[in-house]
Amino acid sequence: MSKKLKTGVIGLGRIGQIHLSNLMHHMPDAEVIIASDVMEESHAFAYNLGVKTVTTDAYEVINHPDVEAIIICSPTPFHVPYTVAAAIQKKHVFCEKPLDVTIEAIQAAEKAVEDNGVKLMLGFNRRFDANFSNVRSLVEANKIGDPHILRITSRDPAPPPVEYLKISGGIFLDMSIHDFDMARYIVGSEVKEVFVKGDALIHPEIKEFGDIDTAVIVLTFENGAIGVIDNSRKAVYGYDQRLEIFGSKGMAKAENNTSDTLVRFDSDGGHISLPLHFFLERYETAYRTCLKSFIDCVLNDTPSPVNAHDGLMATAIGIAAMKSLTEGRIVQINEILELSHV
Amino acid sequence: MSKKLKTGVIGLGRIGQIHLSNLMHHMPDAEVIIASDVMEESHAFAYNLGVKTVTTDAYEVINHPDVEAIIICSPTPFHVPYTVAAAIQKKHVFCEKPLDVTIEAIQAAEKAVEDNGVKLMLGFNRRFDANFSNVRSLVEANKIGDPHILRITSRDPAPPPVEYLKISGGIFLDMSIHDFDMARYIVGSEVKEVFVKGDALIHPEIKEFGDIDTAVIVLTFENGAIGVIDNSRKAVYGYDQRLEIFGSKGMAKAENNTSDTLVRFDSDGGHISLPLHFFLERYETAYRTCLKSFIDCVLNDTPSPVNAHDGLMATAIGIAAMKSLTEGRIVQINEILELSHV
Amino acid sequence: MSKKLKTGVIGLGRIGQIHLSNLMHHMPDAEVIIASDVMEESHAFAYNLGVKTVTTDAYEVINHPDVEAIIICSPTPFHVPYTVAAAIQKKHVFCEKPLDVTIEAIQAAEKAVEDNGVKLMLGFNRRFDANFSNVRSLVEANKIGDPHILRITSRDPAPPPVEYLKISGGIFLDMSIHDFDMARYIVGSEVKEVFVKGDALIHPEIKEFGDIDTAVIVLTFENGAIGVIDNSRKAVYGYDQRLEIFGSKGMAKAENNTSDTLVRFDSDGGHISLPLHFFLERYETAYRTCLKSFIDCVLNDTPSPVNAHDGLMATAIGIAAMKSLTEGRIVQINEILELSHV
Amino acid sequence: MSKKLKTGVIGLGRIGQIHLSNLMHHMPDAEVIIASDVMEESHAFAYNLGVKTVTTDAYEVINHPDVEAIIICSPTPFHVPYTVAAAIQKKHVFCEKPLDVTIEAIQAAEKAVEDNGVKLMLGFNRRFDANFSNVRSLVEANKIGDPHILRITSRDPAPPPVEYLKISGGIFLDMSIHDFDMARYIVGSEVKEVFVKGDALIHPEIKEFGDIDTAVIVLTFENGAIGVIDNSRKAVYGYDQRLEIFGSKGMAKAENNTSDTLVRFDSDGGHISLPLHFFLERYETAYRTCLKSFIDCVLNDTPSPVNAHDGLMATAIGIAAMKSLTEGRIVQINEILELSHV
């Protein structure tokens, strides 16, 4: 292994641009050999950052002889094909979430990665947010005791266009999947059961294609803890990302981040700042820390901090959530896994 | 009606003493004619406060010719009998919660009260806590918009003795019932469905008699809002009483009250004060405001702010919650009401 | 000494009414024998609370054979005459602040009290506010280390009428005197020097009679700490009463109290509640605790928690502050004390 | 003027490295032609970032024909000589603070800059901190009304070594000078008078060479506002950087920044995070925004946001503060300026 990790980036959309900028500016232990995107218009972004080679062909990135690790930021349907191809070429893989929306495809990727002895890390960047990783550290340090109740509030500032929602895979795999991963990460135990109550309170028309925009999700963990997630596609005051873990020894909660710490008082009341607007602002540092930890795990040959199993479980919870909503009952995660012969 | 409301107090236990002290010291529009308790040891408390007549016989209070309103602080099984007896005597009634643990008994009380044209108010004192009543005012003033998500955290500092738990009626009718009333009060809509996930994580032995000490309760409201309550019998850091309402126009939340506003920093970190220890400290003012609003509603002949229907619905939600826990499914409130031919 | 302290109250103005209500309702260890006020219109207030005897003659209170302790709430010029008269009658004295605006009169009161072996306590009620007394406890417990910097913010919601300001004795003896006492209390050391910078920024016309409405006051303490007080007669957002002590081991600060803990977010920002409006709301409990500690110190024969020396020093700092403002220089407290041959 | 500003950096110490990194990574509108430092060991840092030419001779930077703007990060005594030399070469200058410790030298720099029609910006980076610039915006938008009282708390986590303190120029020119600039910036008015009370409470030995480590500084502004700064060289809980402006319409305050928003409760109390440790962490973004605004002002030919006059006034206040401490009296800024025939 070289001292600097030689990477190739597939996909130059919004997330791909974030990862590429971070690689060029903030990762002294990595370099970018090549990048790709099917849209030629996006190539200028990479050239301007100093990438020498940019192509429309993802496989040129995967097969490039100097490339040691692939950063996959393509649309979801290509995540598994590119992961498998990269693994066969003995390249390490960092892949955006979700790895896939089916259990079977995730398992295929997992097998390819294991068979070829390469590392796979998923971009569940919120685990690397200082607020949440510090809550996790408190749980690990037994400052909370046995976890009893987990609460996650996760609300977007505004819903995507209805056209996007139609192809999004539904709120659970598109939006809540981050919270499912967060729940497993914070509690440190597998989810056993899911129950969902939800509705389309913001855009009633999305019910037509079976989606919702407001949800309360109850999770039961193998260690006995109970979790509850509340999701909304539209919080008019901004991106609301908080969580709280309660246990036998105490409680810890992470509040929102704001652009400043101002408090202003006039005769009408006291006024404080809104949460940071959306994920680009809130998780700017987390994206960087997440990618850096992939580079570190490859260079130091340590286990991937977020592996295929994590991707599989997050997707399984998402599928179970949709089933619970549709059937109006508790769904066991094992039902989902067994359907797929896991 | 006299200018000062002439009251009689039944029951001089912990809550009875709070109401009696408030009547003697803080209610210039009321006076106490007589008080009763079956335990003679408790009579000194009333005499010391200046009550002229104290008896062991509750019916002496109810039947006293000068008494216009009865404050019932007896054990729960006597709430309805005393309410009915008082109504027949054309006396107004303030009764501690729950009015009863069965729908049928509550309906009997409701009928007696209506037939005799007297007022009945239930002691859901938390509605009169400044934090919560101010949140309700924001909802009424349409500052939140259409309510989408309600979150209530309600955790006690320490569980009662297991011996008490055996006869408590279960966590839902003993503890969560306050939260059920709060949910209806804040959202301003009836609860339609209940789903519960719970466990005995603090005292596993209470499972033997069907009780739990940790619960997550999902409520569906007729106006479409979804609510979630989390309960624990033991928060080692004190009495945790918070809530949050989220809607189309924004969000409002009420945090805990503390004994002081201190923030201390040393090299180990920043330190802030614990929540007020338990309900006597947290709801000291709410108890007073609650009782005062009963006196006002009688003297001014305005509707009771918390009536028999409120008691009936809180109890019905509690019964539904227990059924949901036992049967592992969503329970409709109508199932409970129809069983009782409401 | 009787088990219940027999008191007489002189003065039924705003503060007198607070003390009398507290005595009647919240002091089981005290009773009120007699009250007085020169204005007959104010007598009804006392009669309504249940006081048996009310007079226009303060000396009837002082000389009443059953009275053991006098609560003096008269205008300031009568504080010392009544204190001396009560001491001669061997009555204990609780007196509102300031004891007097001259050092000589305070010394006369101190001498009378000592010669007659009675207790004198001054109504510096803010020492009994939970926020401030808890900060003091942290200093005493050496959680702050050696005190280095004290900051007090003390701002009124609105200035009194200009007519009152003309006879108020000036901002330092009328308003800042509370802060001078607080400074000595928190730091636990005597003030050595005073420097003032101030102006009439709200009502420029009060400069004509030598007063100001905005001040920054620097205090030097004998233990080396430096303090700074900022005062304003008009904070449009309410009564602003905060302080902070900084030392070698850390820092503690007390924030304002509010009517509720609400936080509301809409698309315009976050909104929190104003500080409690003024001293009656903010110090309601402190008034009670203050008076109770007087009754306790008499009944238990313990030292007065706020004695004549405390009154003398607060007044001396006030006189020094005025001198510093007028002469534009640092003034030593000893200058003031020596002028009075203390 | 080229589209990208061609810069040269003088000095590769701690601050020089920050500015150089920002230029290389975060300033798409600037490029670095050359850098210099007398210490050859520091050159590797610049080479590693991709700077092509690094020299030991500052004048090679100033005289480089392609360089349009000089970033001066040398020790203070060289600030004015390099500024003057650059101005003569018609190069724009960004210079670290303080411009100099004497009024005369600052005036010389100011004259050179004006005579040669180039821009000079001083690195008072705190003006570009989001907390403080947002407070300033509130003042400018008249949300505070007429400013009455300004409070600045500025405390370092730990003092520099005593050896450094001996040559630091004293607390006022080394540390408080940032607060003097902040005071003028927030209030938007010139300082007229200074009064200081201070002591060496942390390291008494520094009194020997006339320095102190704890100070309370009172400022009077031309618009009538009064300001107070409290400084300490050692806050054991970290870098304490807060301020508050109070005026006729309300108040705004900026609190510290922390690494996370965690609140943890256990049976001992509530626990929150410390302020960010020191200026590198707290002002990381402000350094970047500050430098960017220099580049923008040169490229767009707009006035320098922090000019020589700002440097002159901050230094004059520092000199006045030292005089006030030594002489124990109020010092007029005009005394200082007139001594220098300004």
Side-chain angles (χ1 to χ4, degrees):
Chain A
M1 181 62 57
S2 64
K3 267 180 71 186
K4 276 204 184 193
L5 186 67
K6 296 192 177 73
T7 68
V9 175
I10 297 174
L12 294 169
R14 194 163 51 174
I15 298 295
Q17 292 186 5
I18 290 173
H19 287 315
L20 184 61
S21 296
N22 280 328
L23 281 166
M24 299 304 285
H25 287 156
H26 297 285
M27 304 287 144
D29 292 337
E31 57 187 305
V32 179
I33 303 296
I34 182 172
S36 78
D37 196 287
V38 290
M39 311 288 278
E40 283 195 32
E41 309 88 274
S42 66
H43 292 192
F45 180 87
Y47 283 125
N48 283 339
L49 278 172
V51 180
K52 295 288 188 326
T53 313
V54 190
T55 170
T56 54
D57 179 6
Y59 288 97
E60 210 176 315
V61 175
I62 294 171
N63 296 326
H64 193 292
D66 292 346
V67 167
E68 297 163 319
I70 312 289
I71 315 298
I72 302 175
C73 311
S74 65
T76 301
F78 299 93
H79 286 177
V80 167
Y82 292 160
T83 297
V84 171
I88 290 169
Q89 296 287 332
K90 309 293 183 196
K91 311 287 171 84
H92 303 285
V93 176
F94 177 94
C95 184
E96 267 307 305
K97 61 93 230 169
L99 188 43
D100 198 85
V101 298
T102 70
I103 302 293
E104 291 77 3
I106 295 172
Q107 288 179 306
E110 191 170 17
K111 187 169 184 311
V113 160
E114 281 174 9
D115 287 353
N116 289 284
V118 296
K119 293 180 193 297
L120 169 63
M121 176 168 166
L122 299 182
F124 280 118
N125 58 296
R126 294 189 197 172
R127 289 190 180 206
F128 301 88
D129 175 77
N131 291 351
F132 302 145
S133 61
N134 288 348
V135 170
R136 174 60 193 157
S137 298
L138 289 170
V139 174
E140 281 181 327
N142 198 22
K143 294 282 186 188
I144 308 302
D146 298 330
H148 289 180
I149 298 170
L150 170 75
R151 292 195 338 181
I152 294 178
T153 287
S154 177
R155 301 170 189 156
D156 283 356
V162 171
E163 287 313 299
Y164 171 81
L165 290 177
K166 282 184 184 165
I167 58 158
S168 73
I171 191 170
F172 303 119
L173 289 174
D174 182 57
M175 178 179 165
S176 322
I177 194 162
H178 272 295
D179 307 310
F180 299 147
D181 183 64
M182 185 57 65
R184 293 177 62 247
Y185 171 64
I186 294 291
V187 175
S189 175
E190 291 296 353
V191 169
K192 218 170 53 175
E193 295 174 352
V194 180
F195 174 82
V196 172
K197 196 78 215 178
D199 208 340
L201 299 177
I202 300 154
H203 286 304
E205 65 268 34
I206 68 174
K207 273 191 197 170
E208 283 172 36
F209 45 91
D211 205 1
I212 58 173
D213 49 33
T214 305
V216 167
I217 305 165
V218 179
L219 304 174
T220 317
F221 294 85
E222 285 183 359
N223 68 359
I226 308 170
V228 62
I229 298 166
D230 70 88
N231 287 139
S232 170
R233 286 280 196 185
K234 188 175 180 185
V236 296
Y237 53 89
Y239 195 41
D240 196 346
Q241 297 278 297
R242 291 172 286 154
L243 66 76
E244 174 177 328
I245 179 78
F246 168 84
S248 57
K249 283 182 160 184
M251 176 266 269
K253 56 179 177 168
E255 300 289 335
N256 284 311
N257 288 352
T258 51
S259 56
D260 61 49
T261 64
L262 258 57
V263 187
R264 181 172 66 87
F265 285 92
D266 58 21
S267 52
D268 290 333
H271 310 284
I272 58 177
S273 299
L274 289 175
L276 290 177
H277 179 63
F278 209 173
F279 64 98
L280 294 181
E281 294 84 7
R282 167 62 189 261
Y283 295 121
E284 181 186 356
T285 305
Y287 276 112
R288 201 172 298 159
T289 314
C290 178
L291 188 59
K292 188 175 181 315
S293 81
F294 169 67
I295 293 164
D296 290 349
C297 94
V298 174
L299 290 179
N300 303 325
D301 195 14
T302 53
S304 165
V306 195
N307 59 25
H309 173 71
D310 293 313
L312 187 147
M313 291 307 293
T315 295
I317 299 169
I319 296 169
M322 179 55 75
K323 205 175 178 64
S324 174
L325 179 71
T326 313
E327 303 182 7
R329 63 171 180 93
I330 301 173
V331 173
Q332 308 292 321
I333 299 301
N334 271 342
E335 290 182 43
I336 308 301
L337 298 179
E338 282 161 13
L339 278 176
S340 308
H341 314 291
V342 176
Chain B
M1 180 62 58
S2 65
K3 266 181 69 187
K4 276 204 183 195
L5 185 67
K6 295 192 178 76
T7 68
V9 175
I10 298 174
L12 294 169
R14 194 164 52 174
I15 299 295
Q17 292 186 8
I18 290 173
H19 288 314
L20 186 60
S21 297
N22 279 328
L23 282 165
M24 299 304 286
H25 286 155
H26 297 285
M27 304 288 144
D29 292 335
E31 58 187 304
V32 179
I33 303 296
I34 182 171
S36 79
D37 196 287
V38 291
M39 310 288 278
E40 282 195 32
E41 309 88 276
S42 65
H43 291 193
F45 180 87
Y47 283 127
N48 283 340
L49 279 173
V51 180
K52 296 288 189 322
T53 313
V54 190
T55 170
T56 54
D57 180 5
Y59 287 96
E60 210 175 315
V61 175
I62 294 170
N63 296 326
H64 192 293
D66 292 346
V67 167
E68 298 163 317
I70 311 290
I71 315 297
I72 303 176
C73 312
S74 65
T76 300
F78 298 93
H79 286 177
V80 167
Y82 291 161
T83 297
V84 171
I88 290 169
Q89 296 287 331
K90 311 289 183 199
K91 310 289 172 82
H92 302 287
V93 175
F94 177 95
C95 183
E96 266 308 303
K97 60 91 234 174
L99 187 45
D100 199 84
V101 297
T102 70
I103 303 291
E104 291 77 4
I106 294 172
Q107 289 179 305
E110 192 170 17
K111 186 170 186 308
V113 160
E114 281 175 8
D115 288 354
N116 289 284
V118 296
K119 292 180 193 299
L120 169 64
M121 176 168 166
L122 299 184
F124 279 117
N125 57 297
R126 292 186 198 175
R127 289 191 181 206
F128 300 88
D129 175 76
N131 291 352
F132 301 145
S133 62
N134 288 349
V135 170
R136 174 60 193 156
S137 298
L138 289 171
V139 174
E140 282 180 328
N142 197 23
K143 294 281 187 189
I144 307 303
D146 298 330
H148 289 179
I149 298 171
L150 169 76
R151 294 194 337 178
I152 295 177
T153 287
S154 176
R155 302 170 188 156
D156 283 356
V162 172
E163 286 314 299
Y164 169 81
L165 290 177
K166 282 184 186 166
I167 56 158
S168 72
I171 191 171
F172 302 117
L173 290 173
D174 182 56
M175 179 179 166
S176 322
I177 194 162
H178 272 294
D179 307 310
F180 298 146
D181 183 64
M182 184 57 64
R184 292 178 63 247
Y185 170 65
I186 294 291
V187 175
S189 174
E190 292 295 354
V191 170
K192 217 171 54 175
E193 296 175 350
V194 180
F195 174 80
V196 172
K197 197 77 215 179
D199 208 340
L201 298 177
I202 300 153
H203 286 304
E205 65 268 34
I206 68 174
K207 274 191 197 171
E208 284 173 35
F209 44 91
D211 205 2
I212 59 174
D213 49 32
T214 305
V216 166
I217 305 165
V218 179
L219 305 174
T220 317
F221 294 85
E222 285 183 0
N223 67 0
I226 308 171
V228 61
I229 298 166
D230 70 89
N231 288 138
S232 170
R233 286 282 197 184
K234 187 176 180 185
V236 296
Y237 53 88
Y239 195 41
D240 196 346
Q241 297 277 298
R242 291 171 287 156
L243 65 77
E244 174 177 329
I245 180 78
F246 167 84
S248 57
K249 283 183 162 182
M251 177 265 270
K253 56 180 179 167
E255 299 290 334
N256 283 311
N257 288 350
T258 52
S259 56
D260 61 50
T261 63
L262 258 57
V263 186
R264 181 171 67 87
F265 285 93
D266 58 21
S267 52
D268 290 333
H271 310 284
I272 58 177
S273 299
L274 288 175
L276 291 177
H277 180 62
F278 211 174
F279 65 96
L280 294 180
E281 294 84 7
R282 165 65 189 259
Y283 294 120
E284 182 185 354
T285 305
Y287 275 113
R288 204 173 295 157
T289 313
C290 178
L291 188 58
K292 186 173 181 317
S293 80
F294 169 68
I295 292 165
D296 289 350
C297 94
V298 173
L299 291 179
N300 303 324
D301 195 14
T302 52
S304 164
V306 195
N307 59 25
H309 174 70
D310 293 313
L312 186 146
M313 291 308 292
T315 294
I317 300 169
I319 295 169
M322 180 54 76
K323 203 173 179 66
S324 173
L325 179 71
T326 312
E327 304 183 7
R329 65 172 180 91
I330 301 173
V331 174
Q332 308 291 322
I333 299 301
N334 271 343
E335 290 183 42
I336 308 301
L337 297 178
E338 281 161 14
L339 278 176
S340 306
H341 314 291
V342 176
Chain C
M1 179 62 56
S2 65
K3 266 181 70 187
K4 277 205 184 194
L5 185 67
K6 295 191 178 76
T7 68
V9 175
I10 298 174
L12 294 170
R14 194 162 52 173
I15 299 295
Q17 292 186 5
I18 291 173
H19 288 315
L20 185 61
S21 296
N22 280 328
L23 282 165
M24 299 304 286
H25 286 155
H26 297 284
M27 304 288 145
D29 293 336
E31 58 187 304
V32 179
I33 303 297
I34 182 172
S36 78
D37 196 288
V38 289
M39 310 287 279
E40 282 196 32
E41 309 88 275
S42 66
H43 291 193
F45 179 88
Y47 283 126
N48 284 340
L49 278 172
V51 179
K52 295 288 190 320
T53 312
V54 189
T55 170
T56 54
D57 179 5
Y59 287 97
E60 210 176 315
V61 175
I62 294 170
N63 296 326
H64 193 295
D66 292 346
V67 167
E68 297 163 319
I70 311 290
I71 314 298
I72 302 176
C73 311
S74 65
T76 301
F78 298 94
H79 286 176
V80 166
Y82 292 161
T83 297
V84 170
I88 291 169
Q89 296 286 333
K90 310 290 183 199
K91 311 288 171 81
H92 303 286
V93 175
F94 177 95
C95 183
E96 266 308 304
K97 60 93 232 172
L99 188 43
D100 198 84
V101 297
T102 70
I103 303 292
E104 292 77 5
I106 295 172
Q107 288 180 306
E110 191 169 18
K111 186 169 186 310
V113 160
E114 281 175 8
D115 289 352
N116 288 285
V118 296
K119 293 180 192 299
L120 170 63
M121 176 169 165
L122 299 183
F124 279 118
N125 57 297
R126 294 186 198 175
R127 289 190 181 207
F128 300 88
D129 175 77
N131 290 352
F132 301 144
S133 62
N134 288 349
V135 170
R136 173 61 193 156
S137 298
L138 290 171
V139 174
E140 282 180 328
N142 198 23
K143 293 281 186 191
I144 308 302
D146 298 329
H148 289 180
I149 297 171
L150 169 75
R151 292 195 338 179
I152 295 178
T153 287
S154 177
R155 302 170 189 157
D156 283 357
V162 171
E163 286 314 299
Y164 170 82
L165 289 178
K166 282 185 185 164
I167 57 159
S168 73
I171 191 171
F172 303 117
L173 290 173
D174 181 58
M175 180 180 167
S176 321
I177 194 162
H178 272 295
D179 306 311
F180 298 147
D181 183 64
M182 184 57 64
R184 294 178 62 246
Y185 170 65
I186 294 291
V187 175
S189 174
E190 292 295 353
V191 169
K192 220 170 52 176
E193 295 174 351
V194 180
F195 173 81
V196 172
K197 196 77 215 178
D199 208 339
L201 298 177
I202 299 153
H203 286 305
E205 65 268 34
I206 68 174
K207 273 191 199 173
E208 283 173 37
F209 45 92
D211 205 1
I212 58 173
D213 49 33
T214 305
V216 166
I217 305 165
V218 179
L219 304 174
T220 317
F221 294 86
E222 286 183 359
N223 67 359
I226 307 172
V228 61
I229 298 166
D230 70 89
N231 288 138
S232 170
R233 286 281 196 185
K234 187 175 181 186
V236 297
Y237 53 89
Y239 195 42
D240 195 347
Q241 298 276 298
R242 291 172 287 155
L243 66 77
E244 173 176 329
I245 181 79
F246 168 83
S248 56
K249 284 182 161 184
M251 177 265 269
K253 55 179 179 169
E255 299 289 335
N256 284 311
N257 288 351
T258 51
S259 55
D260 61 50
T261 63
L262 257 57
V263 187
R264 180 171 67 86
F265 285 92
D266 58 22
S267 52
D268 290 332
H271 310 283
I272 58 177
S273 299
L274 289 175
L276 291 177
H277 180 63
F278 210 174
F279 65 96
L280 294 180
E281 294 85 7
R282 165 65 188 259
Y283 294 120
E284 181 185 356
T285 305
Y287 275 112
R288 203 173 295 159
T289 314
C290 178
L291 188 59
K292 187 174 182 315
S293 81
F294 169 67
I295 292 164
D296 289 350
C297 95
V298 173
L299 291 178
N300 304 325
D301 195 14
T302 53
S304 164
V306 195
N307 60 25
H309 174 70
D310 294 313
L312 186 146
M313 291 308 293
T315 295
I317 299 168
I319 295 168
M322 180 53 78
K323 203 174 180 65
S324 173
L325 179 71
T326 312
E327 303 182 8
R329 65 172 180 91
I330 301 173
V331 174
Q332 307 291 321
I333 299 301
N334 271 342
E335 290 182 43
I336 307 302
L337 297 179
E338 281 161 14
L339 277 176
S340 308
H341 314 291
V342 176
Chain D
M1 179 62 57
S2 65
K3 266 180 71 187
K4 276 204 185 194
L5 185 67
K6 296 193 178 72
T7 68
V9 175
I10 297 174
L12 294 169
R14 194 163 52 174
I15 298 296
Q17 293 186 5
I18 290 173
H19 288 313
L20 186 60
S21 297
N22 280 328
L23 282 165
M24 299 305 285
H25 287 156
H26 297 285
M27 304 288 143
D29 293 336
E31 57 186 306
V32 179
I33 303 295
I34 182 173
S36 77
D37 197 287
V38 291
M39 311 287 279
E40 283 195 32
E41 309 89 275
S42 66
H43 291 193
F45 180 87
Y47 284 126
N48 284 339
L49 278 172
V51 180
K52 296 287 188 322
T53 313
V54 190
T55 170
T56 54
D57 180 4
Y59 288 96
E60 210 175 316
V61 175
I62 293 171
N63 297 326
H64 193 292
D66 292 345
V67 167
E68 299 163 317
I70 312 290
I71 314 298
I72 303 176
C73 311
S74 64
T76 300
F78 299 93
H79 285 178
V80 167
Y82 291 161
T83 297
V84 170
I88 290 170
Q89 296 286 331
K90 309 293 182 196
K91 311 287 172 84
H92 303 286
V93 175
F94 177 94
C95 183
E96 267 307 305
K97 58 93 231 172
L99 188 43
D100 198 85
V101 297
T102 71
I103 302 293
E104 291 77 5
I106 295 172
Q107 288 179 303
E110 192 169 17
K111 186 168 185 313
V113 160
E114 282 175 7
D115 288 352
N116 290 284
V118 296
K119 293 181 192 297
L120 169 62
M121 176 168 166
L122 300 182
F124 279 118
N125 58 296
R126 294 187 196 173
R127 289 191 181 206
F128 300 87
D129 175 78
N131 291 351
F132 301 145
S133 62
N134 288 348
V135 170
R136 173 61 193 156
S137 298
L138 290 171
V139 174
E140 282 180 328
N142 199 22
K143 294 282 187 189
I144 307 302
D146 299 328
H148 288 180
I149 298 171
L150 169 76
R151 293 194 337 179
I152 295 178
T153 287
S154 177
R155 301 169 189 156
D156 283 356
V162 170
E163 286 314 299
Y164 170 81
L165 290 177
K166 282 183 185 166
I167 57 157
S168 72
I171 190 170
F172 303 118
L173 289 174
D174 182 57
M175 178 180 167
S176 321
I177 194 162
H178 272 295
D179 307 311
F180 298 147
D181 183 65
M182 185 57 65
R184 293 177 62 247
Y185 170 66
I186 294 290
V187 175
S189 174
E190 292 295 353
V191 170
K192 216 171 54 176
E193 296 175 350
V194 180
F195 174 81
V196 171
K197 198 76 215 181
D199 209 340
L201 298 177
I202 299 154
H203 286 304
E205 66 268 34
I206 68 174
K207 273 191 200 173
E208 282 173 36
F209 45 92
D211 205 2
I212 58 174
D213 48 34
T214 305
V216 167
I217 305 166
V218 179
L219 304 175
T220 316
F221 294 85
E222 285 183 1
N223 67 359
I226 307 170
V228 61
I229 298 166
D230 71 88
N231 287 138
S232 170
R233 285 281 197 185
K234 187 176 180 185
V236 297
Y237 53 89
Y239 195 41
D240 196 346
Q241 298 277 297
R242 290 171 286 156
L243 65 77
E244 174 177 328
I245 181 78
F246 167 83
S248 56
K249 284 183 161 183
M251 175 265 271
K253 56 179 177 168
E255 300 289 334
N256 284 310
N257 288 351
T258 52
S259 56
D260 61 50
T261 64
L262 258 58
V263 187
R264 181 172 66 87
F265 285 92
D266 59 21
S267 53
D268 290 333
H271 310 285
I272 59 177
S273 299
L274 288 175
L276 291 177
H277 179 62
F278 209 173
F279 64 98
L280 294 181
E281 295 84 7
R282 167 63 189 262
Y283 294 121
E284 182 186 354
T285 305
Y287 276 113
R288 203 172 297 159
T289 314
C290 178
L291 188 58
K292 187 174 181 317
S293 80
F294 169 67
I295 293 164
D296 290 350
C297 94
V298 173
L299 291 179
N300 303 325
D301 194 16
T302 53
S304 164
V306 195
N307 59 26
H309 174 70
D310 294 313
L312 186 148
M313 291 308 292
T315 295
I317 299 169
I319 295 170
M322 179 54 77
K323 204 173 179 67
S324 173
L325 179 71
T326 313
E327 303 183 7
R329 64 171 180 93
I330 301 173
V331 174
Q332 307 292 321
I333 299 301
N334 272 342
E335 291 182 43
I336 307 302
L337 297 179
E338 282 161 14
L339 277 176
S340 308
H341 314 292
V342 176

